[in-house]
Amino acid sequence: MAIRRALAAHTTLTLAYVDEDGPQACAVLYATGGTAASSSPAPDHAPDSAPGHGPDLGSGPALYFVTATTTRHGRALAEPDARVAFTVQRDGQEWGELTGIQGRGRCRILAGAERAAGWRVYTERFPFVEQSDRLRDALERTTLWELRPDWLRLIDNGQGFGHKEEWQRPEGQPLS
């Protein structure tokens, strides 16, 4: 699927949130690991959606990132019912080839077996974390988050200027 491929092709997302001081944004490194309901990666050979229909992302991709709950964004994300918006794109793209993702969703802190599964996804994407004792120790003490999108839009000007594909979590499908 084009949306999954675009998410897998990048490593940095800009996360936007609102707290008591107003809107703010920050960049975090992320790894994607399949659907939100499962930590196993989705197959790369999944077909793209038919024209006019959203891609079949099931319950949606899960995005994992690390940040402390003591940061401004960490405190905001930990609030009950906190919502976020985000973008994913590579810097320095030309207009005709611009590709990126816009999304909205919710974040949650992972613990126990879910944290272990998310950590594996994160360190597979960023193997340098495991190669540095100092970095690994620091990040293992930091909070691992899962971002569960409920809406995604792929913009791919390579398919034609303004080409868009959207996915939305099916109504009534729980986030957890």
Side-chain angles (χ1 to χ4, degrees), residues 114-135:
E114 287 183 315
R115 188 188 197 290
W119 183 252
R120 280 191 301 276
V121 171
Y122 191 82
T123 57
E124 284 175 14
R125 182 66 170 131
F126 304 109
F128 61 85
V129 170
E130 291 291 339
Q131 296 165 0
S132 166
D133 292 339
R134 184 176 176 203
L135 181 58

Side-chain angles (χ1 to χ4, degrees), residues 73-125:
H73 56 280
R75 289 189 308 271
L77 299 178
E79 288 294 317
D81 297 320
R83 301 222 357 110
V84 299
F86 63 94
T87 62
V88 173
Q89 71 283 326
R90 188 181 77 245
D91 286 341
Q93 297 183 71
E94 297 294 324
W95 275 98
E97 299 300 317
L98 182 75
T99 301
I101 298 282
Q102 299 171 344
R104 290 187 303 262
R106 297 182 190 278
C107 298
R108 69 183 183 111
I109 296 172
L110 296 180
E114 287 183 315
R115 188 188 197 290
W119 183 252
R120 280 191 301 276
V121 171
Y122 191 82
T123 57
E124 284 175 14
R125 182 66 170 131

Side-chain angles (χ1 to χ4, degrees), residues 15 30 45 48 69 81 87 90 106 112-113 119 142 148:
L15 189 64
Y30 77 94
H45 61 277
D48 287 333
T69 55
D81 297 320
T87 62
R90 188 181 77 245
R106 297 182 190 278
W119 183 252
T142 304
R148 294 179 176 207

Side-chain angles (χ1 to χ4, degrees), residues 12-87:
T12 306
L13 68 83
T14 300
L15 189 64
Y17 58 94
V18 176
D19 66 9
E20 65 279 355
D21 292 327
Q24 184 71 21
C26 64
V28 296
L29 293 176
Y30 77 94
T32 184
T35 64
S38 157
S39 349
S40 60
D44 289 336
H45 61 277
D48 287 333
S49 61
H53 295 86
D56 180 14
L57 289 175
S59 63
L63 309 176
Y64 302 97
F65 65 95
V66 177
T67 197
T69 55
T70 56
T71 62
R72 181 178 173 185
H73 56 280
R75 289 189 308 271
L77 299 178
E79 288 294 317
D81 297 320
R83 301 222 357 110
V84 299
F86 63 94
T87 62

